[in-house]
Amino acid sequence: MKGYRYDMRGFFEQTVEVYCERAKVDKSTLRAVNTPSLDDHQIKEEEFEEEGLLKFQAAKVRMKASYGARLVRYDLLHAICSLAREVTRWSKACGRRLHRLISYLHHSKDLSLEGFVGDPASNLTVCLYTDADFAGDTRTSKSTSGLYMALVGPRTFMPIIAVSKKQSVVSHSSIESGIVALEYGLRSEGLMILTFWEHVVAMMHPGAAGRQARNEERTAKAASTATPVSPG
């Protein structure tokens, strides 16, 4: 079994320093918080209209944090992607969100991404987890999709990718927003990685691929010859 740990502590320390330099704030103002996001209900309506102080500097801080988030800090993706949509209309509310994000990052620099592999490729399964909030954007009532993909086996769990993306439609229930997230995850990531993984298994374990094909053929044949049962 082999274990992997991706640690970018130094990179995130630089991110915090860049923010403090550009926002002209001291690290002592970055208090410990439990989450990277700020509830929009805690922000006054007028703050969404007032121009933010870091209008021309926020993009550099956000892009730097985004790089590390995509690699090892999936917990930051939702907060960072929410800010990315506001770069051209940066407001005072965005400034508060960014300060909250950097505060959380400052007190959680030690977090890392870990995985372990202890099984052959033929025993691994690609697992895709999807979910969504419901009307999380208070101004547009749109929801946000989240997906997380990993290779899973009896002695394996290896993260592959995580995504946070605002939905393009307005859902009318949490179930509907969850279905939209599922469709997005399967279409954008799931189907492609399944095709790729089938080739990986066939290359590394030719016999396993053949057995799987024969099992699928027998299952399809059995289904086609089964006698339908009347519901009455």
Side-chain angles (χ1 to χ4, degrees):
M1 179 181 294
K2 293 185 178 180
Y4 302 85
R5 181 184 183 191
Y6 302 95
D7 190 344
M8 297 182 65
R9 184 184 318 175
F11 177 85
F12 288 119
E13 288 178 349
Q14 293 176 3
T15 303
V16 174
E17 291 173 359
V18 169
Y19 170 77
C20 292
E21 176 186 348
R22 301 206 169 236
K24 295 181 174 55
V25 299
D26 190 84
K27 288 184 180 180
S28 60
T29 64
L30 305 176
R31 61 185 181 86
V33 292
N34 295 323
T35 62
S37 299
L38 185 65
D39 189 345
D40 284 355
H41 294 90
Q42 300 177 4
I43 303 176
K44 297 179 181 179
E45 187 65 30
E46 56 269 21
E47 292 183 317
F48 288 102
E49 305 299 331
E50 298 176 15
E51 184 175 291
L53 297 178
L54 292 177
K55 179 177 181 180
F56 300 106
Q57 317 229 10
K60 179 178 179 61
V61 180
R62 187 201 62 79
M63 288 295 294
K64 191 171 182 66
S66 177
Y67 176 75
R70 290 197 305 268
L71 293 179
V72 301
R73 291 294 301 274
Y74 298 159
D75 56 323
L76 305 177
L77 286 174
H78 179 268
I80 292 175
C81 291
S82 297
L83 288 172
R85 297 191 292 266
E86 305 294 334
V87 170
T88 59
R89 50 179 184 271
W90 194 260
S91 65
K92 188 175 180 180
C94 297
R96 290 188 58 186
R97 289 173 175 173
L98 181 60
H99 188 83
R100 170 70 174 234
L101 170 64
I102 299 300
S103 297
Y104 174 81
L105 184 59
H106 178 57
H107 293 277
S108 62
K109 296 189 297 288
D110 295 339
L111 295 182
S112 59
L113 183 67
E114 300 179 0
F116 52 92
V117 178
D119 304 290
S122 58
N123 291 345
L124 300 182
T125 302
V126 178
C127 292
L128 174 65
Y129 307 90
T130 64
D131 202 354
D133 65 1
F134 176 54
D137 190 320
T138 57
R139 288 176 294 168
T140 65
S141 296
K142 291 184 178 180
S143 307
T144 300
S145 300
L147 68 88
Y148 177 76
M149 183 182 293
L151 280 176
V152 180
R155 296 178 297 174
T156 299
F157 190 89
M158 178 55 65
I160 299 177
I161 192 175
V163 176
S164 175
K165 181 177 176 59
K166 185 177 180 179
Q167 296 182 359
S168 58
V169 297
V170 176
S171 298
H172 297 86
S173 67
S174 58
I175 296 177
E176 184 178 348
S177 65
I179 292 174
V180 173
L182 176 60
E183 186 277 334
Y184 169 74
L186 288 175
R187 173 174 49 82
S188 64
E189 302 292 343
L191 295 178
M192 292 186 291
I193 192 67
L194 282 177
T195 303
F196 169 75
W197 192 247
E198 287 176 357
H199 288 290
V200 171
V201 174
M203 180 179 64
M204 301 181 67
H205 306 280
R211 288 193 299 272
Q212 181 180 0
R214 289 192 294 271
N215 290 337
E216 292 176 352
E217 183 179 352
R218 285 196 295 267
T219 301
K221 183 176 181 180
S224 63
T225 56
T227 303
V229 179
S230 173

